[in-house]
């Protein structure tokens, strides 16, 4: 064409600033007695960066229960820093619940009453033990009968410190005979006449509803 020769220019490629990167949320970490250093996922502009190539990671406050800080520092093609935090929580104490059942008088049902307890609850901790249902193996009278407890749960201000180990438990208790009083109505018969009982002369006090003798 009408021109010849060359011309040159230069431009600088600067490192990307990592301070705008996103660090994926770090879930709560359980205290183990050693420094806690969870892995991190760092993205910038839709690209997942590579640890050791694009950034380094430093941890602080990660040697005890509380809040720890993660500092990501850009290297290579990246510069600057970005931080996030994560929680270090106490390891939950295993909690096993036991049940003690109360004896009862026969009432025609399998319903039982139990008291729950646990030797794992620390003194001063407020933990409530509850259950959904407690049933004797049968409704009938007997000693050392098995009681099955189900639906065990824990609640209260300090329940989060514990990990429930069982939702069922068993115990033994007795079902005692219910008091029963037989009544008889006075009857009159004529001399040398035979009196015939019809059954209506007798009554019973203390029978469970729906039962008869």
């Amino acid at each position: 064409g009408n021109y010849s020769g060359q011309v040159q220019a230069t431009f600088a490629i600067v490192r990307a600033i990592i301070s705008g990167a996103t660090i994926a949320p770090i879930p709560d970490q359980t205290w183990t007695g050693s420094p806690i250093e969870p892995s991190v996922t760092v993205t910038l502009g839709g690209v997942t960066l590579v640890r050791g190539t694009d950034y380094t990671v430093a941890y602080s406050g990660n040697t005890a229960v509380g809040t720890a800080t993660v500092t990501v520092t850009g290297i290579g093609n990246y510069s600057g820093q970005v931080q996030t935090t994560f929680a270090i929580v106490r390891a939950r104490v295993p909690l096993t619940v036991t049940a003690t059942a109360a004896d009862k008088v026969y009432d025609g049902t399998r319903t039982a009453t139990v008291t729950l307890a646990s030797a794992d609850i620390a003194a001063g901790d407020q933990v409530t033990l509850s259950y959904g249902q407690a049933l004797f193996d049968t409704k009938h009278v007997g000693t050392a009968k098995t009681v099955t407890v189900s639906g065990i749960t824990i609640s209260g201000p300090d329940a989060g410190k514990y990990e429930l180990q069982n939702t069922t438990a068993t115990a033994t208790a007795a079902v005692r005979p219910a008091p029963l009083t037989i009544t008889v109505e006075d009857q009159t018969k004529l001399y040398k006449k035979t009196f015939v009982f019809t059954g209506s002369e007798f009554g019973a006090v203390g029978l469970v509803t729906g039962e008869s003798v």
Side-chain angles (χ1 to χ4, degrees), residues 12 43 78 86 106-107 110-111 119 144 160 162 182 196 201 204 212:
T43 57
Y78 299 89
F86 64 91
Y106 175 78
D107 61 4
R110 294 173 56 202
T111 303
Y162 297 89
I182 303 298
V196 179
E201 302 83 6
S212 61

Side-chain angles (χ1 to χ4, degrees), residues 13 102 164 187-188:
I13 300 176
L164 182 62
Q187 303 293 319
T188 301

Side-chain angles (χ1 to χ4, degrees), residues 30-169:
T30 300
W31 173 237
T32 62
S34 300
I36 306 295
E37 297 184 352
S39 60
V40 297
T41 300
V42 182
T43 57
L44 180 63
V47 177
T48 300
L49 306 186
V50 179
R51 182 173 180 174
T53 300
D54 301 321
Y55 64 89
T56 60
V57 181
Y59 301 87
S60 60
N62 63 328
T63 58
V65 171
T67 300
T69 300
V70 179
T71 300
V72 173
T73 301
I75 59 174
N77 293 324
Y78 299 89
S79 64
Q81 291 185 333
V82 62
Q83 291 184 324
T84 191
T85 60
F86 64 91
I88 299 176
V89 298
R90 297 182 189 278
R92 293 197 294 170
V93 177
L95 187 151
T96 299
V97 176
T98 58
T100 302
D103 294 347
K104 77 168 187 176
V105 174
Y106 175 78
D107 61 4
T109 73
R110 294 173 56 202
T111 303
T113 300
V114 301
T115 301
L116 302 181
S118 177
D120 301 319
I121 300 175
D125 278 359
Q126 299 179 49
V127 179
T128 300
L129 309 177
S130 306
Y131 66 93
Q133 190 176 54
L135 296 174
F136 281 96
D137 49 2
T138 69
K139 69 177 184 179
H140 303 298
V141 169
T143 59
K145 295 173 65 66
T146 298
V147 174
T148 300
V149 185
S150 59
I152 295 174
T153 59
I154 60 175
S155 60
D158 297 307
K161 299 178 182 179
Y162 297 89
E163 184 172 0
L164 182 62
Q165 301 297 296
N166 59 305
T167 57
T168 62

